[in-house]
Amino acid sequence: MKRFLVFIALAIAAGAAAAQSWPSRPLRLVVPYAPGGPIDISARLLAAKLQQPLGQPVVVENHPGAGGNIGVDMIAKGPADGYNLVMSAIATLAINPSLYPSLPYDPLRDLRHVTLLVQVPNVLIVANDLPAKNVQELIALAKQRPGKLDFGSGSTGSTGHLAGEMFKMMTGTFMVHIPYKGSAPALADMMAGRIDLMFDNLASSLPSIKSGKVRALATTTLKRSAFLPELPTLDEAGLKGFNMSTWWGVSVAAKTPQAVVDRLSAEILKAMDAPDMKERLHGMGSEAPAIRTPEQFTAFVAAELKTYTELVKRSGAKAD
């Protein structure tokens, strides 16, 4: 017993010493997607903000592939030293574990989750020529035309796809899913009258909503969006408990010392609270999440993983 207590004391001391000397060299922030998307933009904004308080450069590296799994696995299996970070997201932490037949990492066992950065609601939008003017009218229309309404999404297994599947399950309706390579072509087809509706990321569809090119019926989170405060949520429109959003944060390898995780979390939160950072992210349709600490983010990931495992299973969705 005494040897065990000595071992624990030495481990704690080693962790504290590592935290005091960290960081002593540049950090790497892996983005598991191609450059130019919202996660990549967020990573580059964050990296620039962290350089001064950490006293070290934060280098952003893009490692896309397999729906983000390659980049996340790189960090999960890499050194647990606090110098290797990854932009983790709803896809890589909550959806992909059940969407892909064999995932090379476990989102809870192989990673520590530092903090949630961004949450963006999806919004239910319909083509202007669709006669449904609200959610209940859409449900009625879908029941009158089973299998005749098409809903698009950016890809199979995306939040837009799964929001549509949840909508079908909760309303007892049947609509045909049309997957696209990105939400932009899906939105273009909807405006051209080729598909009827979609559950799109609010940031990408907001300009089209504001310009009247599509009609918004509801948002997918429990709280109304500050960007469209007049628009009801699906929960308010009768689908009680409907709650989905797109989100991403920062994670590290599982055995990263607690003291390093805590320091990293504190510095990231300070960076995210900077007025200019808030303004840039606000322009992307993001609202500051209430989930901030590593413990809160980890609990959130566990809850989302449970939700999407069940949803993907029930929908029958498989990775392309």
Side-chain angles (χ1 to χ4, degrees), residues 96-206:
N96 289 359
S98 49
L99 191 68
Y100 285 77
S102 58
L103 204 67
Y105 60 88
D106 185 293
L108 297 175
R109 184 189 64 226
D110 298 330
L111 293 161
R112 294 195 75 172
H113 305 295
V114 180
T115 191
L116 184 64
L117 300 178
V118 166
Q119 276 186 291
V120 182
N122 283 10
V123 59
L124 168 57
I125 52 177
V126 300
N128 282 330
D129 61 357
L130 201 72
K133 297 296 189 292
N134 56 52
V135 173
Q136 290 303 320
E137 288 183 8
L138 176 62
I139 295 170
L141 185 65
K143 288 183 175 180
Q144 291 169 10
R145 306 178 186 177
K148 300 298 183 181
L149 298 184
D150 298 327
F151 78 96
S153 77
S155 66
T156 298
S158 64
T159 54
H161 171 206
L162 295 178
E165 296 295 342
M166 182 178 284
F167 182 89
K168 288 163 56 179
M169 292 175 192
M170 293 182 71
T171 59
T173 56
F174 173 58
M175 302 183 296
V176 178
H177 173 231
I178 310 294
Y180 288 77
K181 292 184 178 180
S183 63
L187 184 60
D189 264 10
M190 192 176 73
M191 290 188 290
R194 298 186 183 95
I195 59 173
D196 300 299
L197 63 133
M198 62 186 293
F199 294 80
D200 194 23
N201 182 288
L202 179 60
S204 65
S205 59
L206 191 58

Side-chain angles (χ1 to χ4, degrees), residues 175-285:
M175 302 183 296
V176 178
H177 173 231
I178 310 294
Y180 288 77
K181 292 184 178 180
S183 63
L187 184 60
D189 264 10
M190 192 176 73
M191 290 188 290
R194 298 186 183 95
I195 59 173
D196 300 299
L197 63 133
M198 62 186 293
F199 294 80
D200 194 23
N201 182 288
L202 179 60
S204 65
S205 59
L206 191 58
S208 299
I209 295 170
K210 294 290 188 181
S211 65
K213 294 179 181 178
V214 297
R215 188 166 65 251
L217 300 188
T219 52
T220 62
T221 46
L222 293 177
K223 181 182 176 182
R224 289 194 181 198
S225 170
F227 297 92
L228 295 169
E230 73 285 355
L231 198 66
T233 66
L234 283 167
D235 177 81
E236 291 174 324
L239 278 64
K240 295 301 180 183
F242 198 112
N243 185 25
M244 295 182 71
S245 65
T246 300
W247 51 263
W248 55 90
V250 175
S251 300
V252 294
K255 294 184 179 180
T256 303
Q258 182 66 47
V260 172
V261 171
D262 289 341
R263 169 81 191 283
L264 189 56
S265 176
E267 297 298 351
I268 290 174
L269 289 176
K270 289 178 186 176
M272 297 301 292
D273 286 340
D276 58 337
M277 179 69 89
K278 286 184 175 181
E279 184 178 353
R280 288 294 302 273
L281 294 175
H282 189 79
M284 295 164 56

